[in-house]
Amino acid sequence: MSLNQDEQKTGSAIMGVILAGGLSRRMGGGDKGLSLLGGRTILERIAARLRPQVRALFLNANGDAARFETLSLPILPDGVPDFPGPLAGVLAGLDHAAQAGFNEVAVVPCDAPFLPADLVARLRAGTQAGRGAVAVSAGRRHPTAALWPVHLRSALRKALVEEDQRRLEAILRRHDFAEVTWPAEPFDPFANVNDSAGMAEAEALLARFPAA
């Protein structure tokens, strides 16, 4: 998908990427985003929340793309070998966004089924042009829930490939990402599902807040 000239000039259109390129070791090596929560996969819930907030939505994933076909999302595999982590997914998103004419990319994790409906708008409002923004809740930064300026892709590639820097948080601090805070009550919208305990907590939360 490419932007028209007006969209490119205003920079108002934002591309979205769900980061699902990892190995999910804490979930036994499977795709944690395909786990069922309230009759829907976690990825389906995330896609439903993020799709209305962005101009185009992609899934960063590696391996056989057929396992994600029910999502009806285009797949962006890592461009860096050996599964170096979420930074590779961010870079894949930035590279594609640059080709398509986007100026910013909103990335989210594949294990946070309760993401806020105002995530992208608030991240965008919380920063100045050319600077990224990262979500915060309960005093904790969420490096995989952030808005990235596309112009950082060269710096990110250098950090990942030449410096072997794989920590998202280190890159966010290096480039002075702004913090945008969400309340953690009545529940934390960035609560994630990394293991069986996290799934039990998510199911209990959904039972309490069916519309979450």
Side-chain angles (χ1 to χ4, degrees):
M1 176 182 292
S2 297
L3 301 184
N4 60 43
Q5 292 184 350
D6 288 340
E7 288 173 320
Q8 290 181 8
K9 289 178 181 178
T10 63
S12 59
I14 296 174
M15 192 181 103
V17 177
I18 303 172
L19 301 172
L23 299 177
S24 302
R25 290 185 177 91
R26 280 180 285 182
M27 291 289 279
D31 292 298
K32 56 186 172 183
L34 295 179
S35 301
L36 288 175
L37 175 62
R40 302 168 68 192
T41 68
I42 293 173
L43 276 173
E44 286 174 332
R45 290 181 174 276
I46 293 171
R49 287 178 175 272
L50 191 58
R51 188 178 276 114
Q53 303 185 51
V54 295
R55 175 72 169 79
L57 182 59
F58 296 82
L59 179 70
N60 162 241
N62 299 297
D64 185 4
R67 67 194 194 276
F68 299 111
E69 61 183 7
T70 58
L71 292 173
S72 300
L73 289 178
I75 307 295
L76 291 178
D78 291 351
V80 180
D82 301 325
F83 306 101
L87 272 177
V90 175
L91 180 58
L94 296 182
D95 283 343
H96 184 81
Q99 296 173 5
F102 289 94
N103 291 327
E104 295 168 299
V105 175
V107 301
V108 299
C110 66
D111 60 1
F114 308 111
L115 291 172
D118 60 354
L119 175 65
V120 176
R122 288 199 56 205
L123 287 175
R124 186 68 188 83
T127 186
Q128 299 176 346
R131 186 183 178 200
V134 59
V136 178
S137 65
R140 177 178 168 229
R141 286 159 62 103
H142 304 285
T144 53
L147 184 68
W148 285 76
V150 172
H151 71 76
L152 286 180
R153 70 189 185 108
S154 295
L156 179 53
R157 185 182 305 280
K158 179 180 179 181
L160 185 59
V161 177
E162 298 181 20
E163 302 172 10
D164 195 30
Q165 174 58 264
R166 300 189 177 194
R167 292 188 62 247
L168 257 177
E169 181 61 28
I171 302 300
L172 299 184
R173 293 193 181 280
R174 179 184 299 182
H175 295 284
D176 193 27
F177 273 51
E179 292 187 349
V180 181
T181 301
W182 273 263
E185 297 294 339
F187 61 86
D188 190 336
F190 299 97
N192 55 23
V193 181
N194 272 322
D195 49 29
S196 57
M199 178 61 78
E201 291 173 2
E203 290 174 342
L205 194 157
L206 193 61
R208 292 178 57 204
F209 304 97

